[in-house]
């Protein structure tokens, strides 16, 4: 299921260019166009889910996949290893939660601090 008006669905479909980090049959990861940190990319499901509020039990494996993929991709993209290095995960939910694109997405941010925001 996709949304023809969703910018992230268009990125997944290749209609809008992105700097891809990773792709498999379930998720797509790409660099943020306005990074808050030296390393900043998004992991998004290929399935159009507007936000965390629309998750159902059937999405548990997908969310687990995203969570376990994040550390691997963070290291791949240049984050230093735990415990001295690390990264931050952020999922905004709804307009009051700071969500700007209504397609579930996880920000992965890392690198030397202080960051501009976050």
């Amino acid at each position: 299921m996709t949304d023809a008006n969703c910018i992230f669905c268009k990125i997944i479909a290749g209609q809008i260019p992105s700097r891809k980090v990773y792709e498999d049959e379930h998720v797509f990861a790409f660099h943020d166009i306005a990074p808050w940190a030296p390393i900043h990319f998004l992991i998004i499901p290929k399935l159009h889910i507007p936000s965390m509020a629309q998750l159902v039990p059937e999405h548990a494996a997908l969310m687990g996949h995203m969570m376990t993929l994040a550390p691997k991709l963070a290291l791949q993209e240049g984050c230093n290893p735990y415990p001295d290095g690390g990264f931050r995960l952020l999922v905004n939910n709804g307009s009051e939660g700071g969500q700007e694109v209504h397609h579930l997405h996880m920000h992965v941010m890392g690198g030397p601090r202080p960051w501009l925001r976050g």
Side-chain angles (χ1 to χ4, degrees):
M1 179 170 79
T2 63
D3 179 340
N5 297 315
C6 172
I7 190 169
F8 286 173
C9 289
K10 290 177 182 180
I11 289 171
I12 293 166
Q15 298 169 349
I16 296 176
S18 67
R19 290 181 39 226
K20 182 167 55 171
V21 170
Y22 176 85
E23 180 178 14
D24 65 25
E25 66 271 18
H26 304 291
V27 301
F28 191 88
F30 59 98
H31 290 274
D32 195 291
I33 62 167
W36 292 6
I39 298 161
H40 186 173
F41 60 92
L42 307 177
I43 302 174
I44 64 175
K46 287 187 171 181
L47 178 65
H48 182 81
I49 304 168
S51 76
M52 295 277 294
Q54 283 74 38
L55 290 175
V56 296
E58 291 77 22
H59 296 131
L62 173 63
M63 293 307 296
H65 178 53
M66 290 173 63
M67 294 297 288
T68 58
L69 188 58
K72 174 185 165 195
L73 295 181
L75 287 174
Q76 170 190 301
E77 294 305 302
C79 289
N80 292 316
Y82 177 87
D84 295 326
F87 56 92
R88 175 181 287 181
L89 299 178
L90 174 68
V91 179
N92 298 316
N93 188 57
S95 296
E96 290 183 357
Q99 186 177 7
E100 295 176 1
V101 177
H102 293 273
H103 181 125
L104 178 63
H105 57 285
M106 176 190 308
H107 294 263
V108 182
M109 297 172 279
R113 289 185 62 95
W115 302 338
L116 296 176
R117 300 191 311 190

